Amino acid sequence: MSGSSTITLIVLFLLSLYFIVTFWVFFDRLFILNGRIASESKSLKSLYSGQSKSVANYSLIFTYLSRVNQPNRAILEAASSDAIRVSTRGLTWLSIIASTSPFIGLFGTVIGILETFSKLSTQTSASLGVVAPAISEALIATAAGIGVAIFAYTFHLILKRKAYELSSLLSSQSEVVLSQVSEEL
């Protein structure tokens, strides 16, 4: 890496930042989503078991329901939508990183190979011993880009599934609350 070009080093630095952001977003959102899923699941269980007539006060929906006299579909959908929006912040970054990092790595590889061929043109003879190390060093950028993309894409799918679980729990709670309101009428 001591003879690497500035562009290759910039590409590897950028991919390192992508890698850090990928893990940061993943663990931050995973912690938040898991906590919210656990609390919404507990709230839903108390609704199903008849222990409660409304969502628990720690539910994401509770704040919205406490502001209205009569629960209705519009307020419950707004609560659910807002909760999902806040809970899934950062997923777009994972998607962007997953889709762009292979191209950034490929860019670094192309530049590295171009520089290698440029240096070879000034030499009188070129052997595999001279070309192979330079080409393999250039390919490190592609490998790094693909590695970052694999993590970002995998983490994006895991978090997307967790967001679906949260959405499902919120939707179920909304339906139970609405059914109880319609029974009272």
Side-chain angles (χ1 to χ4, degrees), residues 1-5 8 12 108-109 112 132-142:
M1 296 307 279
S2 60
S4 297
S5 73
T8 303
L12 291 175
T109 298
I135 299 285
S136 67
E137 185 177 312
L139 288 171
I140 290 172
T142 296

Side-chain angles (χ1 to χ4, degrees), residues 84-120:
I84 296 299
R85 181 188 53 79
V86 170
S87 298
T88 58
R89 236 179 245 144
L91 262 66
T92 302
W93 281 110
L94 290 180
S95 181
I96 290 169
I97 290 170
S99 62
T100 59
S101 60
F103 294 111
I104 292 170
L106 187 59
F107 175 74
T109 298
V110 169
I111 296 299
I113 289 172
L114 286 173
E115 288 176 347
T116 300
F117 286 139
S118 174
K119 288 176 188 172
L120 286 176

Side-chain angles (χ1 to χ4, degrees), residues 53-180:
K53 290 281 185 192
S54 185
V55 295
N57 60 356
Y58 50 80
S59 173
L60 298 169
I61 298 174
F62 179 78
T63 307
Y64 288 84
L65 287 178
S66 65
R67 295 180 186 157
V68 296
N69 294 332
Q70 186 77 12
N72 60 58
R73 187 165 301 282
I75 197 73
L76 290 167
E77 285 178 6
S80 180
S81 183
D82 190 43
I84 296 299
R85 181 188 53 79
V86 170
S87 298
T88 58
R89 236 179 245 144
L91 262 66
T92 302
W93 281 110
L94 290 180
S95 181
I96 290 169
I97 290 170
S99 62
T100 59
S101 60
F103 294 111
I104 292 170
L106 187 59
F107 175 74
T109 298
V110 169
I111 296 299
I113 289 172
L114 286 173
E115 288 176 347
T116 300
F117 286 139
S118 174
K119 288 176 188 172
L120 286 176
S121 68
T122 60
Q123 295 182 355
T124 55
S125 68
S127 68
L128 188 60
V130 174
V131 176
I135 299 285
S136 67
E137 185 177 312
L139 288 171
I140 290 172
T142 296
I146 291 169
V148 170
I150 289 168
F151 281 109
Y153 185 68
T154 302
F155 291 168
H156 180 267
L157 291 178
I158 290 169
L159 293 176
K160 192 174 171 183
R161 174 65 187 159
K162 293 282 185 186
Y164 172 76
E165 285 179 48
L166 179 61
S167 176
S168 219
L169 288 167
L170 292 170
S171 179
S172 294
Q173 287 183 89
S174 296
E175 292 302 321
V176 171
V177 167
L178 288 173
S179 72
Q180 289 176 352

